[in-house]
Amino acid sequence: MRRRRGMMGSVATRPPEPILHVDMDAFYASVEALKDPSLAGKPVAVGGSAARGVVMSASYEARRHGVRSAMPSVRARRLCPELIFVHPDFDAYRAASNQIRQVMLSFTPVVEPLSLDEAFLDVGGAVRLFGEPPEIARKVRAAILEGTSLTASVGVAPNKFLAKLASDAAKPDGIVHVPADGVRAFLDPLPVNALWGVGERTHEVLLRLGVRTVAELAATSPVVLERALGDQSSRHLGTLARGEDDRAVVPYDAPKSVSHEETFERDVDDDDEVLREVLRLSHRVAARLRADGYRARTVTLKIRLSNFTTLTRSRTLPDATDSAADLHRVGAELYASLPFARRRIRLLGVAGTGLVPAGAAQLARYRAGRWPDAERALDRIDERFGRGSAFPAALLRRGPAGPFSRP
DNA sequence: TCTGGGGTCCTAGGACCC
DNA sequence: TCTGGGGTCCTAGGACCC
């Protein structure tokens, strides 16, 4: 590791806790309260209020009643009868997210967004300009608040994983700084399921082993862990329990898949209807691929049955594609290959994976077929008139329980 | 309580190649 | 004659995250 004083002796030493995790507080709900100030201070849930809806984001007033994200909306309503449901407005969230990213980029170019409302920052190179990392965290929070009227919580720590835990501890509207010599004191009392990668299943397994806290996890023999959780997960957990994480903050990562899926309001068992939905999803995926400049080698069809059993079928093509006609054709073949007929289907999804950049070299192949050109024309119409202005005629023939009701 | 929609990563078996 | 071992790709399922 090279730590060099600058030629003039002016380059600051990299601080021991250079990583920030910035996490917006109740992001979607907070953006909604900005759009409609009458929502401020009230219990608000962003998400679908229909029978199969779930809460995507809950204001702190709603959380006081026990409402949480990922909770079925029906249950949230029971917990908090005065809960106000708002349909998600991703254009608004994306706009706010972009604004926030610009603020963060004014402190360091090393910003890694995790989602619309979270990002890691490596401020190791910014101390000379902006002060020590905790000071930068204060400035970032203040700048976000000034620029967007939204509050953020920030964790300051030696690495990404600790910074993320620290921002959790800082919520809402605060800062937590985990100094390099305070890692054990911070980590030991935390419940194991606070760790990244410990979800419901792993938590159960750990509880059966008698492991409730990170301290207990750190004291557990690697052999026992490996037997219970497998090679990779146990090693992963072991390093986290020690507070170690050497992942760098990576400003840009190429996407690996593009997908769209939809849960029907009522289960569907009509093949024609299923295939129309596959076509609709194929168009959305293809349009995204083209807009982002990728083509997919593998097409995956996802089906969730009424009993929540989930099946996937995929096929890898000789040539990558960004054409809805291709996605739909493969999707239909995959559907036809399933070992059942007329089962009750709750959800359909279409995904393109194995993405390759749609480089200039591939443009030649394009001109061979007519479909891609027709679809590009649809993209242009969508650009001018909004998404969904143009869509294939087949989608107009609605079945009785069509999920794609249009005005 | 009855489970959204967008993703990433891991596992495990089988095909295929050398 | 009935059987190696490593590497890579493909497929299906599942855990997990926000």
Side-chain angles (χ1 to χ4, degrees), chain A residues 307-329:
Chain A
N307 67 1
F308 226 72
T309 307
T310 305
L311 307 161
T312 61
R313 289 295 181 272
S314 61
R315 184 184 307 158
T316 299
L317 308 171
D319 295 298
T321 183
D322 59 10
S323 129
D326 286 346
L327 298 181
H328 174 246
R329 181 176 44 76

Side-chain angles (χ1 to χ4, degrees), chain A residues 5-304:
Chain A
R5 295 273 160 190
M7 294 210 293
M8 316 300 284
S10 61
V11 172
T13 307
R14 195 168 158 78
E17 301 101 25
I19 309 299
L20 267 51
H21 181 254
V22 177
D23 197 339
M24 303 303 297
D25 299 324
F27 183 55
Y28 299 170
S30 303
V31 172
E32 293 298 340
L34 285 184
K35 287 168 56 192
D36 177 0
S38 78
L39 295 175
K42 297 199 180 131
V44 173
V46 175
S49 57
R52 291 179 166 177
V54 300
V55 175
M56 301 171 69
S57 171
S59 69
Y60 281 90
E61 292 76 16
R63 291 182 200 203
R64 273 203 284 279
H65 291 79
V67 176
R68 297 284 180 274
S69 55
M71 175 180 281
S73 300
V74 173
R75 183 167 174 225
R77 171 83 71 195
R78 250 196 310 274
L79 287 169
C80 179
E82 66 272 33
L83 188 60
I84 302 167
F85 276 96
V86 183
H87 271 97
D89 174 0
F90 281 97
D91 289 341
Y93 311 150
R94 256 189 297 275
S97 183
N98 286 337
Q99 244 182 308
I100 293 160
R101 191 160 62 251
Q102 291 311 313
V103 171
M104 296 188 292
L105 285 168
S106 69
F107 289 89
T108 170
V110 194
V111 174
E112 177 181 341
L114 282 182
S115 61
L116 289 180
D117 68 330
E118 281 180 56
F120 287 114
L121 280 64
D122 186 333
V123 298
V127 291
R128 201 153 45 93
L129 274 175
F130 298 109
E132 292 298 312
E135 175 61 22
I136 298 179
R138 275 188 287 279
K139 289 177 173 159
V140 168
R141 268 166 41 80
I144 290 175
L145 184 62
E146 164 148 16
T148 67
S149 306
L150 294 165
T151 65
S153 298
V154 181
V156 185
N159 60 45
K160 288 167 100 172
F161 146 70
L162 289 167
K164 189 156 165 54
L165 285 178
S167 73
D168 256 357
K171 282 192 162 297
D173 199 15
I175 294 179
V176 166
H177 172 210
V178 179
D181 60 8
V183 170
R184 279 263 63 91
F186 173 72
L187 221 41
D188 278 341
L190 293 179
V192 268
N193 59 335
L195 298 184
W196 236 79
V198 180
E200 213 176 325
R201 279 292 309 268
T202 307
H203 194 205
E204 276 173 34
V205 172
L206 290 172
L207 288 181
R208 274 204 296 279
L209 292 176
V211 175
R212 288 156 310 181
T213 65
V214 176
E216 287 167 348
L217 179 64
T220 306
S221 130
V223 181
V224 171
L225 277 187
E226 189 181 333
R227 217 167 33 220
L229 296 168
D231 179 39
Q232 195 77 24
S233 319
S234 61
R235 241 181 311 151
H236 169 78
L237 277 189
T239 41
L240 294 191
R242 290 191 297 276
E244 295 166 9
D245 176 11
D246 58 7
R247 293 171 304 161
V249 177
V250 183
Y252 173 76
D253 227 358
K256 303 202 161 45
S257 67
V258 170
S259 68
H260 281 285
E261 62 185 52
E262 188 142 328
T263 297
F264 298 94
E265 291 206 7
R266 289 181 287 133
D267 295 340
V268 165
D269 65 356
D270 178 68
D271 287 345
D272 288 342
E273 208 178 325
V274 168
L275 292 177
R276 277 200 303 277
E277 177 70 357
V278 171
L279 177 57
R280 202 178 67 97
L281 293 168
S282 296
H283 270 279
R284 293 185 64 182
V285 171
R288 270 278 310 283
L289 287 170
R290 291 191 294 268
D292 298 350
Y294 290 97
R295 314 174 108 216
R297 283 205 60 217
T298 304
V299 181
T300 302
L301 180 72
K302 175 173 169 182
I303 291 180
R304 179 126 69 210

